[in-house]
Amino acid sequence: MTGSTDVKDEQRVAALLRGAIDPHVHSGPSIAARSLDHIELLEAASQAGFAAVVTKDHDYSGVMTAALIKKHRPDLTTKLYSSIVLNNVVGGLNPYAVEHTAALGGRIVWLPTLAAANHLRWQAAAKWVHPASTERMRPVTAIPVLNDDKSVRDDLKEVLDIVAKNDMVLASGHLHVSETWLVFEEAQRRGVKRLVFTHPEDIVDASLNDVKGIAAMGAFVEHSLCMFLDGCKFKSREPEDLRNQIDAAGVGQTMLCSDLGQVGTFSPLEGFGRGIQLCIDLGYDDDEIRKMVSTNTARALGIEADVAAAGAA
């Protein structure tokens, strides 16, 4: 690649970062070490021209922090949203916690991640403990989402009803793909309109046929760019794997996120920019990339109007 091409690509990446949305960022504070906090994330995103970011912590709802930052840092132009992950620390499948998150403007309800039975099996096989795991305090209890007969648990049905009532996003977290199918089908029966399938490329044991089928049911498929980037400690897949994933779901149902904020690797902004460069290298045009890094995500989150207002300000 020539120097002039490098400059051209840098300009393309910078242009595509303007108006981008990162829907999955692990900024701090957290019990896991983080490379930046929520304010530092929003400062960097605003400087780059991001339309929005969504913070995610495995152990708490970030909506209170988001409200404080919005009030005291109106100079930051990137819209800030947050989410809740239904792990042990918030009481698992806790409808009260979900209602509270909804009342304070949270957009995403993640099904269990570090407390998913599938995650605990995967972690044991890897002989590794996630740095955000509460196992340092007490053993993590797996949070089941299905009954023995494979029907969705009643407590999860109550959560699904709250997600539907508040037009929130239901994200699959670290459930096994076989569980995701059943929960997503029940969610749609109960009126949930916004579904996101989390990083099928790792942990959740999804095939490309699963990706294709879950996208066909109307879910967006979210890919963690950190898992495809050379030099990232989380890399587990090759660039062609990303192409295959995107082809399976289709550009129109694909969302890209950094899934970054951890120490010892790229910042969320750098990782997101490298991910855009990867998409350029794979041959996607600017319109296709814009869909995957911005407009699809705005549709998935239901924040088109907020993003448009931020861009006009």
Side-chain angles (χ1 to χ4, degrees), residues 54-123:
V54 183
T55 61
K56 174 187 179 185
D57 192 90
H58 292 290
D59 296 313
Y60 66 87
S61 170
V63 291
M64 295 77 75
T65 302
L68 280 170
I69 295 171
K70 289 174 188 177
K71 177 179 179 179
H72 293 287
R73 292 298 305 272
D75 57 303
L76 299 176
T77 55
T78 298
K79 299 284 286 185
L80 176 64
Y81 303 90
S82 197
S83 59
I84 187 170
V85 185
L86 301 182
N87 285 328
N88 299 125
V89 177
V90 301
L93 305 178
N94 182 352
Y96 297 98
V98 176
E99 285 182 328
H100 180 265
T101 297
L104 281 175
R107 291 306 305 143
I108 303 177
V109 176
W110 305 84
L111 292 163
T113 56
L114 308 189
N118 175 68
H119 175 92
L120 294 172
R121 288 191 298 268
W122 172 82
Q123 182 173 270

Side-chain angles (χ1 to χ4, degrees), residues 7 123 160 162 167 172 200 225 264 290:
V7 170
Q123 182 173 270
L160 297 179
I162 297 166
D167 197 28
S172 61
L225 290 167
R290 178 69 66 189

Side-chain angles (χ1 to χ4, degrees), residues 120-197:
L120 294 172
R121 288 191 298 268
W122 172 82
Q123 182 173 270
K127 297 181 179 179
W128 172 81
V129 176
H130 193 288
S133 173
T134 57
E135 286 186 20
R136 70 194 68 188
M137 293 175 267
R138 62 175 58 228
V140 172
T141 301
I143 298 172
V145 295
L146 303 177
N147 297 307
D148 291 341
D149 64 0
K150 303 303 181 184
S151 61
V152 174
R153 289 172 55 96
D154 287 344
D155 45 3
L156 179 50
K157 288 179 181 177
E158 189 173 357
V159 166
L160 297 179
D161 290 343
I162 297 166
V163 172
K165 178 181 177 181
N166 291 280
D167 197 28
M168 300 172 81
V169 177
L170 182 73
S172 61
H174 292 189
L175 301 187
H176 190 271
V177 65
S178 62
E179 298 172 307
T180 296
W181 273 107
L182 296 170
V183 173
F184 276 12
E185 288 167 353
E186 181 64 29
Q188 288 189 323
R189 284 192 290 269
R190 305 186 86 82
V192 176
K193 304 296 184 186
R194 305 183 187 281
L195 300 170
V196 171
F197 185 24

Side-chain angles (χ1 to χ4, degrees), residues 1 96 113 122 138 208-209 253 299:
M1 191 174 283
Y96 297 98
T113 56
W122 172 82
R138 62 175 58 228
L208 291 176
N209 280 337
Q253 292 300 120
R299 284 195 298 125

